[in-house]
Amino acid sequence: MNKRTQKSNAKSSTFFGGAAILAASIAVVKVIGALYKIPLGRILGDVGFGHFNNAYAIYNLLLMVSTAGLPVAMSKTISEANALNRRNQVSRVFHVALVTFIILGSISSLIMFIFAQPLANLQGDSLAAPAVRVMALSCFFVCTMSAYRGYAQGHSDMVPTAVSQVLEAMTKLIVGLFLAWYLLRLGFGSEFSAAGAIAGVTASGLVSLVYLMFRFRRKNSAQGLAKTDDRPESAKHILKVLASIAIPITLSSSVVPITTYLDTVQVQNLLQSALGYSEELAVSLYGCYQKAITIYNLPSAFMVSLTACIVPAVSAALTKKDQIGAGKIAESALRVGALLALPAGVGLAVLSGPIIQMLYPETNQEIASHCLMVLGIASAFVCMMLLCNAILQANGRAALPIWFIAIGSATKLIVNFILVQMPSVGIKGAPVGTLVCFMLVSVMELIAIKRVTPHPPKYLRVFVKPVLAAAIMGAAARAAYGILAGHLGNTMSVAGGIVIGAIVYAILVLVLRIVSKDDLSLMPKGDKIAKLLHIK
């Protein structure tokens, strides 16, 4: 093996290792996020949780505009300069990006702090202003840390990003939950306890930033690399290059947070203007809806490692001119994704009421359980959308998902507008809008894959057996819960229903021969699972 091949393999190994590290950290962060938001919802109550999520929607929007594209542009530019051993250029790019991030973070923080009350009023939740103000400084911290993450990723070092994300999630969990609980215990209102929970987010940004700065200084001072004589480009030129890469990414990434923000504004204002609800009642109902959203987000967390494998695997096959192999990988990915997503979605739907009662006994059971029932089905479509996005990206069609998501988001807002202002529907229309959105996006992307890939997946082979198995599993889980509920408490009955449903599903997967060894190879430890289950 020649040196070039060895170098190429080393780079490939670094890439796959980095992707695995990031995928694992994102999955951990999402699970920690659920552990944070589920008890937080119980501490804050429906109204307080509504205040919390209204502040978060503003934060996410400003943050996405500030940081979506620049870290990617920065890591790409640094990677290119590093490959040419242009260390002065690397240093110049980092400092230009850092100053840019600091400016954007400062502007975003000032907007949140100064206009906290108007922004809260716009959402139909005037009492969310304290939480918005407390969160303002988070924009500055996160924007600044994005520069350090981009620098590390430009050197193919994914560890700082992964560790900082986990640190961020853990700090938010510990500090946010404690402050929310303590402020309520002191007798403060729900709006101030929500601000306490948000303070955990701000603290997490500070902790993560300190870690990244410390690691950056330690690693760079320890390297002791010889100076190079390359002449770096001007700051103006670097900024222009960064902007040319970052702006398209920012525009595409901003679709979802913009829709989420418009959703918070639209739903709460429609409840007040069209149905005559008080501000407190509208915020409370929105808080119920957000509790269901917290649970609905869980299944997609487990798609991260699978999507991280799809792009390089399909791309590698296409690079070798192996279009049939690329098609087989895409088909296997969809089948494994369906195998994981469908039972999760069906399980949430059929056990929505018991799950809400177990996790949020103090909330409006009718509203939250109905929302989760609809969102459970929607979660399966979200998972399929993520897989389809990865397949289209790997086939060089990255622009298509952007348009599809934009169309789906616009459809969601239209469905919301029609349903939420109906007295018989109200807040229950919001999850229907979400379901219609992701169902539409998934169908459009599946059609696109069929048309633009040389050897598209066989959809009957992908979906028929997993759908059948998930439907039977759902019936078994619900029946088991019904039988157990007559003898055990709700929590034990939910656990029993899930276990029995999982056993039934596992048997059906084996009996129906839904997966092959090639399918499992896409999953972490898939080869060992195939060997253990004697799957060929």
Side-chain angles (χ1 to χ4, degrees), residues 259-293:
T259 304
T260 301
Y261 177 71
L262 292 176
D263 183 60
T264 66
V265 172
Q266 182 190 44
V267 170
Q268 290 171 107
N269 280 289
L270 280 175
L271 291 174
Q272 294 174 55
S273 62
L275 300 184
Y277 291 174
S278 66
E279 180 182 293
E280 183 177 4
L281 178 57
V283 173
S284 174
L285 291 172
Y286 192 75
C288 287
Y289 170 51
Q290 285 297 320
K291 287 177 178 178
I293 287 282

Side-chain angles (χ1 to χ4, degrees), residues 158-309:
M158 305 301 175
V159 173
T161 299
V163 173
S164 66
Q165 286 175 337
V166 174
L167 273 176
E168 209 173 339
M170 288 300 299
T171 306
K172 180 171 65 175
L173 173 69
I174 296 167
V175 177
L177 287 181
F178 172 75
L179 288 177
W181 167 80
Y182 189 63
L183 288 171
L184 271 182
R185 189 180 179 188
L186 291 177
F188 287 93
S190 61
E191 68 272 25
F192 292 105
S193 62
I198 289 293
V201 179
T202 302
S204 71
L206 176 60
V207 169
S208 183
L209 176 59
V210 169
Y211 160 75
L212 288 167
M213 292 175 69
F214 174 77
R215 197 180 192 285
F216 174 83
R217 289 181 180 278
R218 188 183 66 179
K219 189 159 187 177
N220 281 275
S221 61
Q223 278 182 343
L225 297 173
K227 292 184 177 180
T228 58
D229 59 359
D230 65 290
R231 185 174 179 179
E233 294 163 349
S234 67
K236 184 178 179 180
H237 178 77
I238 290 172
L239 190 58
K240 186 177 178 180
V241 171
L242 291 175
S244 67
I245 300 171
I247 289 174
I249 296 173
T250 300
L251 291 174
S252 62
S253 301
S254 296
V255 174
V256 173
I258 288 172
T259 304
T260 301
Y261 177 71
L262 292 176
D263 183 60
T264 66
V265 172
Q266 182 190 44
V267 170
Q268 290 171 107
N269 280 289
L270 280 175
L271 291 174
Q272 294 174 55
S273 62
L275 300 184
Y277 291 174
S278 66
E279 180 182 293
E280 183 177 4
L281 178 57
V283 173
S284 174
L285 291 172
Y286 192 75
C288 287
Y289 170 51
Q290 285 297 320
K291 287 177 178 178
I293 287 282
T294 299
I295 304 168
Y296 138 89
N297 281 330
L298 277 174
S300 61
F302 300 98
M303 289 294 110
V304 175
S305 57
L306 187 55
T307 56
C309 297

Side-chain angles (χ1 to χ4, degrees), residues 90-110:
V90 168
S91 179
R92 176 71 62 84
V93 169
F94 171 71
H95 286 100
V96 169
L98 179 62
V99 171
T100 304
F101 274 121
I102 289 173
I103 292 171
L104 289 173
S106 300
I107 293 171
S108 298
S109 293
L110 286 172

Side-chain angles (χ1 to χ4, degrees), residues 51-106:
H51 297 324
F52 173 87
N53 281 286
N54 284 328
Y56 225 103
I58 298 169
Y59 166 75
N60 278 337
L61 178 61
L62 289 172
L63 202 62
M64 187 60 69
V65 171
S66 302
T67 65
L70 268 176
V72 178
M74 180 185 173
S75 63
K76 181 178 184 297
T77 309
I78 284 179
S79 178
E80 290 170 351
N82 197 44
L84 298 172
N85 200 33
R86 297 185 62 195
R87 297 194 195 113
N88 293 331
Q89 174 73 357
V90 168
S91 179
R92 176 71 62 84
V93 169
F94 171 71
H95 286 100
V96 169
L98 179 62
V99 171
T100 304
F101 274 121
I102 289 173
I103 292 171
L104 289 173
S106 300

